[in-house]
Amino acid sequence: MKMKRPLRYSMYVFFCMFCLSFYAHAQNTTITGKVISMEDGEALPGVSVKIKNTNVGVTTNVNGQYSINVPESATTLVFSFVGMTQEEVSIQNRSNINVSLAPDIQQLTEVVVVGFGTESRKLLKGSVSQVKSEQIRDLPVASLDGALQGQAAGVNIVQNSGTPGGAMNVTIRGNSSISGGNQPLYVIDGVPMTTGDFSQVGFGGQGTNALADINPDDIASISVLKDAEAGALYGARAANGVVLITTKRGEAGQSKISFNAFGGFQEPWNMLDMLNSSQWKSYRNDLATGRGADPIFSQEQIDNPRVNTDWLDQVFRQARIQSYELASSGGNEKTQYYVSANYFDQEGIVRGTRYERFSFRTNLDHKVNERLKVGSNINFSYAKNDRVEGDQSLHGPVPNAITLPSIYPIFNDDGTYNQDGPFANPVAIYREALNEAHTFRNISQFFAEYDILPNLQFATKTALDYMNLRETSYDPVTTRQGERDNGLGFEANNEVMNITNYNTLTWNNSYGNHDIEVLGGYSFERFYQRTSFIRGNDFPNENFQNLASAAVISDASASGLDRSINSFFGRIRYDYLNKYLFSFNARYDGSSKFGRENQYGFFPAAAAAWRLSEENFMAGNATFSELKIRASYGLTGNDGIGDFSSPGLFGASRYLGQSALIPIQLENPELRWETTRQANIGIDAGFVNDRINVTLDLYHKFTTDLLINRPVTSTSGFGSIAQNIGEVLNQGIELGITSENIVGGDFTWSTNFNIAHNTNRVITLFDGQAIDNIGRGSNRIEEGQPIGIFFGFESLGVDPSTGDIVFRDVNFDGQITAADRTKIGDPNPLFFGGITNNFKYKNWDLTVFFQGSYGNDIFNGSRIFIESMKGNDNQSADIERRWRQPGDITDIPRATESDPNINNRISSRFIEDGSYLRLKNLTLGYNLPSDLIRSWGLSRCRVYFSGQNLLTFTNYSGLDPEVNYSGVSNQVFGTDFFTYPQARTYTLGINVDF
């Protein structure tokens, strides 16, 4: 009996517990599902899923999936996402609920790519400009930086020359560094790109451009991160801004094949007016009589010249440009793909120049299961660049065509090249000299994303960026340079490889009205570079061009470089009611570039935003459809310094016929990053139901610890040592306006406008010492002035009594000496920007894009030579109004070989207003009627005409106001010295979708 009672009791307890568990199970149900976009079927990550009238909720993961426990009393789930209509779905005893959200016209806003993710534009806290693929479509440019020009506020892009495939100078919010580099960091599909000029054979300032290896048609969007909050996750390399590039990807659904092509021609839009044979002979007679000699040419020779060669016409040409692209994209729910192949061919308007590129891209995404997604991005390209020397070279076709007098013929009577002039025959140069650069590029990355939990995701990405640049140069004896060396050849090879690995862990969740995201990550980069260079001369004849045929190897060198950087980074985002927005970003970088004491740097940033338009007191406001105030502050770094600037170095030498090691650099173990502290205040406002959107930003950038080579006493045996010295300030304002001016109906009109102003000033330098006499324009860096001002003598005009230039006596000592040099110009613009108008009428579309710069000066260094009136070189036709006799009123001084006044010294005489407004692009397109093309098996067929650089409004007298002979130099810019100008381009194109 005693045994039964415990058994009955135990059974009773078990039964009660079973009932309670059944009751609990009945009270709590797990509901799972997926949320997609009704517009394109794509999964929506970050959607808030809440139980109605409670604070219980979750958010969808990267695949749009969710899982939520709901009590028996729950009847409705609420699905909400910024830019989408809110959906309320009845539970009705279901355990699986899938939802499609439709775009909310009232709240719709694009998703913007930011560091390690995306964010709704309305929830942005930092300063980010986005350029979509539609904005850069149909532009006949070789590189993405060319496509970006004038499209984003605060991004100043100068196309240094018209060289096909040439480098551009890109600065974001001003020049922050003197020696450490001012170019932004480029990140493609989440991985930093290798950028810059890796050429070893000198061609003036117009080097190669590693960005040209990317086909602009593969780009889906470009985001420019401008303030510290937006760029802090890239830490030590973000001081100059970050350009995030995302490439196109496939989408689930019907496969699509696209064919895009254009072809056309380019031509010079401006030519210098140089002296013809008669004018040049008359000018040379003036020089002779001025020194008391007899005239050189008779009047008969002046009036009836035997030769009158237009050298510029011989060098410039109408050039072809063409591009063909075939792309395919599509996939299913598990696998999506995008594949493209492109051929781009641009002849230069200067004969002998050409840029050809073959590129192939494949982007693949595959969902292994509900938790794991893998993918790859692979880009191969090969480019061949035919180049000619320019800018500072005595052997460039353009400088020689400008300066060689027209009295010399192209050929001698026996058919050989005439080389009698003071300069080399430019026709011989471009016809006979060989200058080729061959670039092979492979940018490949592989990634995986794994959902550890519904709201916890791990992502890893490994990338390889490999580039091989081989340069071949040969000047045969038929050129003046080759004749001097009996044939001159170069062979250079530059092999660059960057291996990158990124790992991130992301957690996000929603607690009632609180949305939180936490990201943490680690990355590692390893950079390798191997170079070799060989110079040979004395070749058998012009048919033997390989260096193996050179009798003398006059120079040979090779070098190797390994460096690495490892980083820890993190971000916390907190949003309350999508109204009060906060973020904190930080990165901890370690680099092998810097000294033992400071190899690591910490770069944090914080931001907050308040969406006033979501407040109750703004309800019913008829003025604002969106109003947000943003503020951020943070630190970013700059590691653009030479790789071996910190350690003490030894170099090889020879002593008494034997090899030896000698010290060549002082050690500085305390060398560290330049650091930029940036504060940003911004306002985002929408009007008329978001048909007009305005973004206004004010920023203050203060850069300290500038990386500068400080002079040391010569008794030390060294000339300088790299140290952190100096400060630079940039502050400015940016304004961007987008508007839908006319919507609905057959005719629509939209406008995109941006303008920016930046003030740059050097605060401190070492002992206040200015850095002077930089470049041909005598650029200068001094405290209290912008970087790179022009410093020389101030011209007061031509003295009517003597014909000499009068220079201002700055120190009033009665003499014109070096002490009278002063600031004579500033190459930094006051304002720059662009405006695009898009019109559509039925099947027609028209895009008109103007881009310009205002308030910048140009030092026209070419005029120093073509207005010198001293030697045998040709002169500008402007010297026809030169001073000839007392009383003449003119701006051109006298012609004289004896010039004690030094009329052509560096002075304000050669400073010109570089402001310009350019019709950068005009495109007129027509979409063929769908009823017609459907029978052809096409879903879209558009034909268009596009014109590039059609009009340029400027007072600049040179070939092109958008110019810099020194490429992407930090210290020398705004100087023109016989620089290759940009072309005017006309193209016809077609876009076809199957």
Side-chain angles (χ1 to χ4, degrees):
M1 296 294 295
K2 291 183 180 180
M3 292 295 296
K4 292 181 179 179
R5 184 174 179 182
L7 179 61
R8 290 198 304 269
Y9 181 78
S10 299
M11 292 179 64
Y12 175 77
V13 172
F14 176 79
F15 179 77
C16 291
M17 292 178 65
F18 175 80
C19 291
L20 287 171
S21 65
F22 180 81
Y23 176 78
H25 178 74
Q27 296 299 307
N28 292 279
T29 302
T30 299
I31 298 177
T32 60
K34 184 175 181 179
V35 183
I36 63 174
S37 168
M38 184 180 295
E39 190 173 40
D40 55 17
E42 286 290 294
L44 291 176
V47 175
S48 173
V49 184
K50 294 182 180 179
I51 301 171
K52 188 174 181 179
N53 298 324
T54 74
N55 289 329
V56 179
V58 296
T59 58
T60 57
N61 63 16
V62 69
N63 297 314
Q65 298 167 334
Y66 72 93
S67 177
I68 186 171
N69 293 321
V70 300
E72 184 180 29
S73 59
T75 60
T76 305
L77 291 181
V78 180
F79 297 80
S80 60
F81 187 68
V82 173
M84 298 288 183
T85 56
Q86 181 173 287
E87 291 288 334
E88 295 187 5
V89 181
S90 177
I91 296 175
Q92 297 178 346
N93 296 321
R94 290 184 290 175
S95 61
N96 184 264
I97 297 176
N98 296 322
V99 175
S100 298
L101 297 184
D104 188 338
I105 303 301
Q106 303 297 323
Q107 299 184 26
L108 185 63
T109 182
E110 71 267 28
V111 173
V112 178
V113 177
V114 294
F116 301 95
T118 60
E119 192 168 11
S120 164
R121 176 166 291 282
K122 289 188 180 294
L123 301 182
L124 276 178
K125 308 156 193 71
S127 181
V128 181
S129 291
Q130 186 173 43
V131 179
K132 299 180 181 179
S133 60
E134 294 83 0
Q135 294 175 250
I136 60 178
R137 185 184 64 184
D138 305 333
L139 295 178
V141 294
S143 61
L144 63 93
D145 46 1
L148 187 60
Q149 187 179 33
Q151 301 286 357
V155 183
N156 190 24
I157 299 177
V158 176
Q159 188 167 335
N160 299 315
S161 76
T163 306
M168 297 188 182
N169 194 14
V170 182
T171 55
I172 299 176
R173 294 187 167 181
N175 296 300
S176 299
S177 180
I178 293 175
S179 302
N182 283 311
Q183 303 304 297
L185 172 69
Y186 292 88
V187 179
I188 182 166
D189 290 327
V191 176
M193 280 184 65
T194 299
T195 60
D197 176 16
F198 290 89
S199 173
Q200 298 183 76
V201 181
F203 286 85
Q206 316 315 321
T208 59
N209 184 3
L211 288 174
D213 298 327
I214 304 298
N215 174 20
D217 286 337
D218 285 335
I219 296 173
S221 69
I222 302 174
S223 292
V224 183
L225 314 184
K226 297 183 289 188
D227 70 340
E229 189 277 339
L233 284 183
Y234 297 97
R237 292 172 293 179
N240 302 313
V242 182
V243 179
L244 301 182
I245 303 143
T246 58
T247 57
K248 296 175 181 177
R249 315 199 72 80
E251 298 178 355
Q254 184 176 359
S255 298
K256 181 176 74 172
I257 296 178
S258 300
F259 175 72
N260 303 300
F262 66 78
F265 65 92
Q266 308 160 96
E267 63 182 13
W269 65 271
N270 186 27
M271 277 291 168
L272 295 179
D273 187 11
M274 305 300 294
L275 296 181
N276 60 31
S277 288
S278 297
Q279 293 169 327
W280 188 83
K281 290 175 181 178
S282 177
Y283 143 72
R284 290 293 295 161
N285 279 351
D286 280 359
L287 284 181
T289 57
R291 64 172 183 268
D294 294 332
I296 301 173
F297 302 99
S298 68
Q299 193 61 44
E300 170 65 21
Q301 291 173 315
I302 294 175
D303 294 338
N304 300 290
R306 186 175 65 87
V307 177
N308 188 24
T309 305
D310 188 340
W311 290 109
L312 286 172
D313 185 62
Q314 293 295 322
V315 165
F316 285 95
R317 65 178 172 184
Q318 190 178 87
R320 294 180 295 110
I321 184 171
Q322 56 187 327
S323 176
Y324 306 94
E325 182 196 37
L326 185 64
S328 177
S329 63
N332 53 35
E333 290 297 324
K334 290 184 68 69
T335 305
Q336 299 88 43
Y337 66 90
Y338 171 83
V339 180
S340 74
N342 171 258
Y343 171 68
F344 177 83
D345 178 20
Q346 179 185 10
E347 289 183 341
I349 57 173
V350 173
R351 297 178 188 272
T353 61
R354 184 179 183 181
Y355 180 79
E356 287 184 281
R357 181 189 62 224
F358 301 84
S359 66
F360 174 81
R361 170 173 291 277
T362 175
N363 290 345
L364 182 67
D365 300 277
H366 177 68
K367 186 186 298 182
V368 178
N369 53 46
E370 292 302 316
R371 289 195 173 192
L372 178 62
K373 178 181 178 181
V374 296
S376 64
N377 309 313
I378 300 175
N379 183 85
F380 291 100
S381 67
Y382 165 76
K384 179 187 176 185
N385 197 343
D386 295 319
R387 300 186 289 175
V388 296
E389 295 187 46
D391 297 313
Q392 299 195 72
S393 172
L394 295 175
H395 310 287
V398 174
N400 286 357
I402 293 173
T403 55
L404 188 61
S406 54
I407 66 168
Y408 298 102
I410 302 172
F411 300 102
N412 296 316
D413 293 338
D414 60 0
T416 60
Y417 292 104
N418 183 280
Q419 300 283 8
D420 291 338
F423 303 101
N425 187 320
V427 175
I429 295 173
Y430 77 71
R431 282 188 175 183
E432 304 297 325
L434 172 71
N435 293 294
E436 295 179 349
H438 302 263
T439 305
F440 173 78
R441 189 79 177 267
N442 175 15
I443 304 177
S444 299
Q445 53 179 282
F446 303 90
F447 64 87
E449 299 170 353
Y450 182 72
D451 293 334
I452 302 172
L453 296 172
N455 299 316
L456 183 64
Q457 182 193 60
F458 170 75
T460 183
K461 182 177 295 185
T462 299
L464 168 71
D465 187 349
Y466 174 83
M467 179 176 66
N468 182 269
L469 172 62
R470 182 176 66 85
E471 298 173 274
T472 299
S473 178
Y474 176 71
D475 283 280
V477 293
T478 47
T479 66
R480 180 173 289 190
Q481 180 167 259
E483 182 182 22
R484 184 185 60 194
D485 292 289
N486 196 30
L488 175 65
F490 299 91
E491 188 78 22
N493 194 73
N494 200 335
E495 187 177 37
V496 177
M497 182 169 62
N498 194 43
I499 299 175
T500 309
N501 176 249
Y502 277 83
N503 303 276
T504 60
L505 197 62
T506 305
W507 175 84
N508 58 70
N509 213 332
S510 178
Y511 299 95
N513 296 320
H514 308 272
D515 296 321
I516 302 175
E517 179 195 80
V518 180
L519 177 144
Y522 168 78
S523 69
F524 176 82
E525 292 184 43
R526 188 67 181 265
F527 179 87
Y528 305 85
Q529 183 176 15
R530 300 294 183 267
T531 65
S532 60
F533 179 86
I534 304 174
R535 181 183 189 272
N537 58 277
D538 198 1
F539 287 75
N541 59 53
E542 63 270 20
N543 297 315
F544 292 84
Q545 300 181 359
N546 194 288
L547 277 177
S549 302
V552 178
I553 301 299
S554 55
D555 188 18
S557 63
S559 66
L561 166 67
D562 295 347
R563 69 166 178 258
S564 60
I565 181 170
N566 65 313
S567 310
F568 301 88
F569 53 90
R571 174 176 64 211
I572 299 175
R573 289 177 180 164
Y574 169 68
D575 300 345
Y576 178 66
L577 292 171
N578 284 340
K579 180 166 49 177
Y580 308 110
L581 317 172
F582 304 91
S583 70
F584 176 78
N585 303 335
R587 184 166 177 131
Y588 188 60
D589 277 320
S591 171
S592 61
K593 282 189 176 184
F594 294 97
R596 296 188 306 271
E597 308 298 328
N598 294 285
Q599 283 198 323
Y600 282 85
F602 181 59
F603 305 97
W610 178 23
R611 295 183 66 203
L612 285 79
S613 52
E614 296 297 300
E615 295 288 359
N616 292 333
F617 61 79
M618 293 287 288
N621 186 288
T623 302
F624 295 100
S625 52
E626 172 70 21
L627 182 61
K628 178 176 64 177
I629 299 175
R630 297 176 280 107
S632 68
Y633 180 81
L635 278 65
T636 49
N638 189 349
D639 71 342
I641 190 176
D643 289 277
F644 303 106
S645 297
S646 173
L649 298 180
F650 286 80
S653 182
R654 295 188 65 81
Y655 181 72
L656 298 178
Q658 296 184 354
S659 61
L661 287 177
I662 61 172
I664 59 175
Q665 179 175 285
L666 287 170
E667 179 186 20
N668 183 2
E670 297 182 354
L671 201 67
R672 58 189 177 274
W673 281 275
E674 294 181 355
T675 301
T676 297
R677 295 169 171 82
Q678 183 173 182
N680 190 96
I681 297 176
I683 298 175
D684 300 328
F687 306 89
V688 195
N689 204 22
D690 276 359
R691 283 180 55 186
I692 302 174
N693 289 279
V694 178
T695 298
L696 179 68
D697 280 277
L698 291 89
Y699 61 88
H700 182 280
K701 290 176 61 178
F702 189 67
T703 304
T704 59
D705 293 332
L706 295 182
L707 295 164
I708 295 177
N709 287 322
R710 175 178 68 82
V712 297
T713 176
S714 59
T715 57
S716 67
F718 299 91
S720 63
I721 182 173
Q723 286 192 333
N724 295 98
I725 303 170
E727 299 168 332
V728 170
L729 173 67
N730 283 278
Q731 51 190 2
I733 183 171
E734 300 165 352
L735 175 64
I737 302 175
T738 60
S739 63
E740 301 291 335
N741 307 315
I742 299 177
V743 297
D746 292 334
F747 179 73
T748 62
W749 171 28
S750 63
T751 301
N752 188 328
F753 170 76
N754 71 83
I755 191 170
H757 163 72
N758 180 78
T759 299
N760 175 268
R761 188 166 74 252
V762 177
I763 303 302
T764 60
L765 293 170
F766 174 69
D767 283 348
Q769 297 178 11
I771 304 173
D772 200 6
N773 290 317
I774 314 168
R776 290 190 173 271
S778 189
N779 293 93
R780 179 181 171 98
I781 301 171
E782 70 172 49
E783 292 182 355
Q785 294 291 339
I787 293 176
I789 61 169
F790 299 118
F791 201 76
F793 296 91
E794 184 178 343
S795 170
L796 301 179
V798 177
D799 187 341
S801 62
T802 65
D804 283 331
I805 298 288
V806 178
F807 299 102
R808 187 164 75 91
D809 184 4
V810 174
N811 60 5
F812 302 104
D813 64 354
Q815 303 179 62
I816 301 300
T817 65
D820 294 306
R821 296 169 67 230
T822 185
K823 177 182 176 181
I824 56 175
D826 184 356
N828 298 280
L830 292 175
F831 299 97
F832 57 90
I835 181 170
T836 304
N837 282 285
N838 296 294
F839 306 91
K840 290 185 179 180
Y841 177 70
K842 294 185 177 180
N843 289 4
W844 293 90
D845 61 83
L846 175 66
T847 298
V848 183
F849 170 40
F850 282 90
Q851 176 262 334
S853 175
Y854 173 76
N856 57 294
D857 293 319
I858 295 177
F859 180 80
N860 192 338
S862 304
R863 288 177 52 203
I864 288 184
F865 291 86
I866 63 176
E867 292 180 12
S868 66
M869 295 176 290
K870 290 182 180 180
N872 295 323
D873 47 342
N874 202 10
Q875 299 289 288
S876 166
D878 289 338
I879 72 162
E880 287 292 276
R881 64 174 187 268
R882 64 187 178 274
W883 185 95
R884 287 182 169 87
Q885 60 186 7
D888 284 350
I889 305 298
T890 181
D891 60 328
I892 303 294
R894 63 193 175 105
T896 175
E897 292 176 311
S898 175
D899 184 16
N901 194 57
I902 317 178
N903 287 319
N904 67 332
R905 71 180 76 189
I906 293 176
S907 71
S908 58
R909 171 189 170 192
F910 305 111
I911 298 294
E912 299 187 40
D913 180 11
S915 305
Y916 69 91
L917 178 65
R918 174 167 275 167
L919 178 53
K920 197 69 179 178
N921 180 260
L922 184 147
T923 301
L924 176 65
Y926 178 73
N927 286 281
L928 274 66
S930 57
D931 293 341
L932 174 64
I933 64 174
R934 193 177 297 117
S935 63
W936 302 344
L938 307 179
S939 61
R940 174 176 177 259
C941 183
R942 174 177 175 266
V943 293
Y944 66 90
F945 164 80
S946 180
Q948 191 89 346
N949 300 329
L950 293 181
L951 296 172
T952 301
F953 304 95
T954 183
N955 291 323
Y956 181 60
S957 67
L959 287 172
D960 199 323
E962 193 178 347
V963 64
N964 185 29
Y965 87 98
S966 193
V968 296
S969 169
N970 287 17
Q971 304 172 8
V972 179
F973 45 98
T975 299
D976 185 357
F977 189 71
F978 303 110
T979 304
Y980 192 144
Q982 293 190 56
R984 178 179 290 154
T985 305
Y986 307 89
T987 57
L988 288 174
I990 186 170
N991 309 124
V992 179
D993 292 341
F994 297 88

